[in-house]
Amino acid sequence: MVDQYWYQKSVFYEVSVQAFYDSNGDGVGDLAGLTQKLDYFASLGIDCLWLLPIYESPMRDGGYDISDYRKINPVYGSVDQFANLLQEAHNRHIRVIMDLVMNHTSDQHPWFKAAREDRQSPYHDYFVWSETDQKYLDARIIFLDTEISNWTWNEATQEYYWHRFYSHQPDLNYDNPAVIDEMFKIVEYWLEMGIDGFRVDAVPYLIERDGTSCENLPETHAILKQLRAFVDREVPGKVLICEANQWPKDVVKYLGRGDEFQVAFDFPLMPRIYMAMKKADSAPIRWAMEQLPSIPASCQWGTFLRNHDELTLEMVSEEERQFMWSEYSADRRYRLNLGIRRRLAPLLDNDRRKIELAHSLLFSLPGSPFLYYGDEIGMGDDVTLYDRNGLRTPMQWTSGNNAGFSTAGQLYSRIISQPEYAPSRVNVEAAEKEPGSLWHVIQKMIALRHDHTVFSTHNFTWIDCHEARSAVFRRESENETILAVHNLSDTVLHLEVPVTRAANYVDLFTSRQYNEDESKLLLALEPYQYLWLKALLG
Ligand code: GLC
C-alpha cells in the first residue's frame, strides 16, 4: 500500500539535470545521464529527487524562464527519456518531483509574444498590464541587483507589464480564470506522465492588489487550495512543496488545514544555523524553532542548508544580515541581492567538523531535509561566474577529464578550479572509496534517519543545559527517545544534560554507551562534535 505521508519521511535531493551528467558528449547534462546515475542516489539513500526546471526555455534564469510548459528542453532529451527516468527511478523506489513555475513565463513564451503585440489578443489578459508604473508600489523588488522596477514598458501596446523577478519574466495574471485553467492542465499533463509531485516556485506572488505588498494574499491562497484539490482528485499521494520565502506565521498559511501544500520550506531557520555556528551560540536556532507554529499532522517542514539560489538573508533582521554578510562574505563579490552566493563547504571554511555539524543539525531537527547536489562531496563555488551560476557548475565525478562529467571539448560551464575544491581533490569516486569521507558520514546520517522514524515526526523539545554554546534537543515518540547533542564552538564543552527518562544512552554513530548519572548525562564534547544518543529503555 502506498504511504500517503511518504514526504514526511523522505530525504530529498535537489538536482540540476544540466549539471549532473552528460551522456551524449554535448557538454550539457541530460536526462539519460541522470538516469545512468540513479544507483548513485540509491546508495546515498535518497528518497526523492527534485529536478530543477527542465522545460523548454531560453535559459536566462536557469530554466525558471519557461517558453513551453509541455516541452522538455531538447538539450536535456526527449519525453520518452523523461518517462524512462521516471520508470527507472521508481524501480529503485526513488520518487521524482519537478519544479512548477506558476508565477511567470519567459518573455519568449508564445502567450506573451502574442500578448505584447496586441491588446486585442486573447492572451493579452494572461499577463498583468498597466498604463502607469505607479501601481502596486508597495510590492518590493526581489532581484535588487538586476531590476529597478517591477514594471517594464511595452512599446507595441503602449503600457507596462508586471514582473516580480527579471524583466524577461512577465507575471501571469491569476485574476484570469483561463490562466488557472491552463496551469492546471499543465499540472495534469506531468502528473499523468507519472511524476510524484511539484516543488512550486515563487507562490506568494500570484495575485496583486493595490495598497498591499502583493504577497500572501487570500486570493492567492484560494488558487493554491484549488490546485491541491485538483491534484488530489487527479492522482492521490502526490506532493506539493511550497517555496515561499516568508516568515513562519505567513508560511504556515500555505499548509492551510492540510488542504494546501503538504510541505513548506523553512526559510528563517537556514541562515540561523550558520549564524549559530559563527557565534558559537544556539540562540538563533532556538529562536527560529520557537517561531514555528504547529502544523497539521499531514504536513511537514522542508529544511535545507543550501540550494541553487544565493543563501537568502530575507528572513533575518537588518543587524543579522550585516552580521552574516561580514562573517560569511567579507569579499563583497559573494553578495547577491539580499544574500550570499556561496556553496556549503566554502561557507564553512571547508572544515569537515563544521560541515558535519551543520548536517547533523539538518538531519536531526524536525522537517524533511533537502540536499543540494554536490554538497555531499563538499563541492566549491566560482564567484567569477554570472549571478548564481557559480553554484551550478558540473558535478565532480572523478579526478579525470572534465571531472568525469562529460567528454565534450566545451561544457555549459567551467568546472571548479580552485585547488582546494578542484576535481583532483573533490570527486565522487574518491569520496565513495574513502570510508571516512564526508559522503559516507552523510550516507550514515540518512540511513539513521530512515531507521529512526522519530526524526520524521513533529515532536521536538529543546533541552536547556545552561551552556549557550551547545544545541541539545530531544526527539521522542512512543517507542523511542533520541537526544541530539551539538557543540557549536571550537572548544571542548563539558555538558550536563538533564534526562527525564532514567536510561542509559548509546550514540548511533559510534555505538559508544553513555550512562546517566542521577537523571543527567555528563558529556565532554570535542570542538564541533555532535552525538545522536538513543535511550536504551527497559
Ligand atoms: C525562485 C527560484 C529562483 C528563480 C526565481 C524566479 O526563487 O528558486 O532560482 O530565479 O524563483 O523564477
Side-chain angles (χ1 to χ4, degrees), residues 61 64 101 104 143 165-166 169 199 201-202 243 308-309 388 392:
D61 181 20
Y64 284 94
V101 189
H104 46 267
F143 284 170
F165 294 93
Y166 290 122
Q169 287 167 318
R199 174 262 192 195
D201 184 62
E243 190 221 12
H308 65 290
D309 290 324
R388 290 153 289 171
R392 303 173 180 179

Side-chain angles (χ1 to χ4, degrees), residues 103-122:
N103 182 66
H104 46 267
T105 69
S106 156
D107 61 3
Q108 298 307 304
H109 195 292
W111 297 340
F112 189 68
K113 283 186 172 169
R116 76 180 314 171
E117 280 312 311
D118 179 5
R119 287 196 189 206
Q120 300 315 317
S121 157

Side-chain angles (χ1 to χ4, degrees), residues 247-266:
W247 292 103
K249 69 170 179 31
D250 296 317
V251 175
V252 76
K253 296 195 183 127
Y254 289 95
L255 303 174
R257 296 202 180 98
D259 57 355
E260 214 168 306
F261 288 89
Q262 289 105 321
V263 182
F265 286 117
D266 183 0

Side-chain angles (χ1 to χ4, degrees), residues 434-501:
E434 165 59 46
S437 69
L438 173 66
W439 191 90
H440 281 282
V441 173
I442 292 176
Q443 183 196 42
K444 175 80 181 174
M445 288 180 179
I446 296 174
L448 288 175
R449 252 194 95 93
H450 288 148
D451 289 349
H452 302 279
T453 48
V454 67
F455 286 124
S456 312
T457 69
H458 296 173
N459 182 284
F460 168 85
T461 315
W462 196 269
I463 300 179
D464 197 349
C465 303
H466 305 289
E467 171 51 83
R469 292 170 291 179
S470 72
V472 184
F473 44 87
R474 182 171 53 238
R475 307 297 312 272
E476 196 159 41
S477 67
E478 250 171 48
N479 36 33
E480 66 182 340
T481 298
I482 295 176
L483 306 180
V485 183
H486 300 87
N487 177 0
L488 303 172
S489 77
D490 62 358
T491 50
V492 173
L493 280 192
H494 294 276
L495 282 188
E496 270 190 25
V497 183
V499 291
T500 45
R501 282 186 181 178

